[in-house]
Amino acid sequence: MQKILGNIKSYLEKFKEIYGVETVILTQKDGFPISIVGVWLSEEEVFGVCSSSSAIYAAAQQLSGGQLNYLFIEGTRVNMMISPLQDLREFCCTIVTKPKVNLGAIFLRIREDFFNLRNILLKLSDIKPPLRNFTEKEIRSILRTFSVRPGEEDFNKIRHEMFELSDGLFEKIRNKLRELLTLIQDIEMISLIYEGGYSLLTLSRTAEFCETSGEDVLAYSLVDTAARLMWITKKTMVKQITCDCNRFMYFIYDLEGCVLVIKLVKRKAKLGFLRLVINSYIDKVKATLLEGKVKTAILPKISS
């Protein structure tokens, strides 16, 4: 068993050789931590990071209909990539990077090493997800496989801004989003979601409605959990989440009071061009939201 875990760690260490990569974490889909290399985490952070990563991974898998290729979370001071191990979707790998990182090298390493990691994990007959509960003895055993430091984090500091929209401001936002939908033909749907996952507005090519959908709830859950994960690791906030699936891509933006989801059909448009155009409209929507009445809300404390 220890030899197999050592082999897993050696593959994860290869990601650390890429410029900008800080931490690499291999986790079961239920949050069970398998291995980690990189930044020194406290006991609370080991389980906090692994459980949050697996929750994000599960929501992204549901959003993508089980066709997730990878999830990329962009923060103000750190980025994270969460990816399944090819067809072995019982496990996910979380890669924490600096804002400036060689993504091409990461994708190349994923293609080369995830196949080998997959074959190693298939041999772990005594690790079968899902594992739901841990005794104190089991927790100690898990933590002994990690390098941990004393816990010192207070997670009750994450703040979100809330707002009130007049009819005029709401119409201004609707017009900007309709203009974006018309401009980029690859966009299939745009949703503006309020705190808690409630839909304010959904625009498609043929309809406009305000009913909350399953996609809205999952997208909000992604941003909410990603915010906690980013705070645990780097005390930073989420800016954008990119969810790459087989046929679609989701661009999900945290607008500090609501969440904006853009669903695109994967065609020939360049990702860099799409981000450039969309980000210009995101700035306009943010500016309009700032005209609303702003209040401060504190997210609930994360239990250890």
Side-chain angles (χ1 to χ4, degrees):
M1 179 66 175
Q2 291 302 318
K3 182 179 179 181
I4 292 177
L5 291 176
N7 290 337
I8 291 174
K9 200 158 193 173
S10 68
Y11 280 111
L12 299 185
E13 289 281 2
K14 293 181 180 180
F15 285 93
K16 278 283 291 163
E17 298 172 2
I18 300 171
Y19 173 80
V21 174
E22 294 185 342
T23 309
V24 186
I25 307 160
L26 182 63
T27 310
Q28 282 185 186
K29 69 175 185 180
D30 62 353
F32 180 85
I34 302 297
S35 185
I36 182 172
V37 296
V39 173
W40 198 25
L41 300 175
S42 71
E43 294 183 4
E44 293 85 358
E45 289 170 334
V46 167
F47 283 95
V49 168
C50 291
S51 60
S52 296
S53 296
S54 63
I56 293 169
Y57 175 67
Q61 282 282 35
Q62 284 188 275
L63 187 65
S64 67
Q67 298 180 343
L68 177 69
N69 295 323
Y70 68 86
L71 186 84
F72 191 67
I73 307 170
E74 297 177 58
T76 52
R77 292 193 295 152
V78 69
N79 297 333
M80 292 186 186
M81 178 182 289
I82 301 176
S83 175
L85 293 183
Q86 298 181 343
D87 62 330
L88 192 61
R89 297 181 180 270
E90 302 290 347
F91 301 87
C92 67
C93 187
T94 303
I95 302 171
V96 184
T97 76
K98 296 177 181 178
K100 292 185 178 181
V101 65
N102 189 339
L103 286 176
I106 291 177
F107 284 120
L108 182 60
R109 180 60 61 191
I110 285 175
R111 187 171 62 186
E112 291 177 352
D113 288 346
F114 272 21
F115 178 76
N116 294 322
L117 278 171
R118 171 189 176 277
N119 290 339
I120 292 174
L121 288 167
L122 288 174
K123 300 175 183 178
L124 291 175
S125 59
D126 55 339
I127 297 183
K128 295 180 180 179
L131 300 174
R132 299 298 180 188
N133 300 303
F134 302 101
T135 65
E136 184 64 28
K137 182 178 179 181
E138 288 170 332
I139 291 174
R140 295 295 107 197
S141 175
I142 293 167
L143 291 173
R144 277 197 297 271
T145 66
F146 295 81
S147 295
V148 298
R149 58 179 170 77
E152 56 186 25
E153 306 296 340
D154 182 6
F155 302 141
N156 196 25
K157 299 290 185 181
I158 309 173
R159 307 177 78 84
H160 274 246
E161 299 300 326
M162 300 182 68
F163 58 89
E164 296 177 357
L165 290 178
S166 64
D167 290 342
L169 290 177
F170 187 76
E171 187 64 26
K172 189 175 180 180
I173 291 173
R174 175 195 280 124
N175 291 339
K176 290 297 180 185
L177 296 180
R178 176 62 68 181
E179 185 179 327
L180 176 61
L181 183 67
T182 304
L183 180 62
I184 301 179
Q185 293 301 308
D186 289 348
I187 295 179
E188 181 176 280
M189 181 192 69
I190 302 177
S191 294
L192 185 64
I193 307 167
Y194 189 62
E195 292 278 354
Y198 299 100
S199 177
L200 289 176
L201 175 67
T202 298
L203 301 175
S204 70
R205 294 284 166 193
T206 58
E208 176 179 322
F209 48 93
C210 299
E211 296 180 359
T212 301
S213 67
E215 284 190 340
D216 294 339
V217 175
L218 287 170
Y220 179 81
S221 176
L222 274 177
V223 173
D224 185 55
T225 311
R228 300 171 187 274
L229 178 58
M230 297 291 257
W231 193 260
I232 289 172
T233 53
K234 283 289 184 178
K235 292 291 190 293
T236 188
M237 303 302 293
V238 173
K239 293 193 301 183
Q240 176 184 343
I241 298 175
T242 302
C243 186
D244 184 279
C245 315
N246 288 350
R247 294 182 55 246
F248 299 99
M249 289 194 74
Y250 291 87
F251 290 168
I252 306 172
Y253 298 86
D254 186 352
L255 302 185
E256 299 180 359
C258 64
V259 171
L260 185 68
V261 182
I262 300 176
K263 182 179 181 179
L264 302 101
V265 180
K266 292 173 72 172
R267 294 196 179 106
K268 294 183 179 180
K270 299 296 185 181
L271 182 60
F273 169 75
L274 292 174
R275 286 168 58 94
L276 181 65
V277 174
I278 291 173
N279 284 341
S280 67
Y281 278 86
I282 295 300
D283 292 339
K284 295 173 184 177
V285 172
K286 276 187 174 181
T288 305
L289 288 173
L290 287 175
E291 297 178 31
K293 184 178 180 181
V294 178
K295 299 179 181 180
T296 301
I298 303 176
L299 293 180
K301 183 177 180 180
I302 299 176
S303 59
S304 57

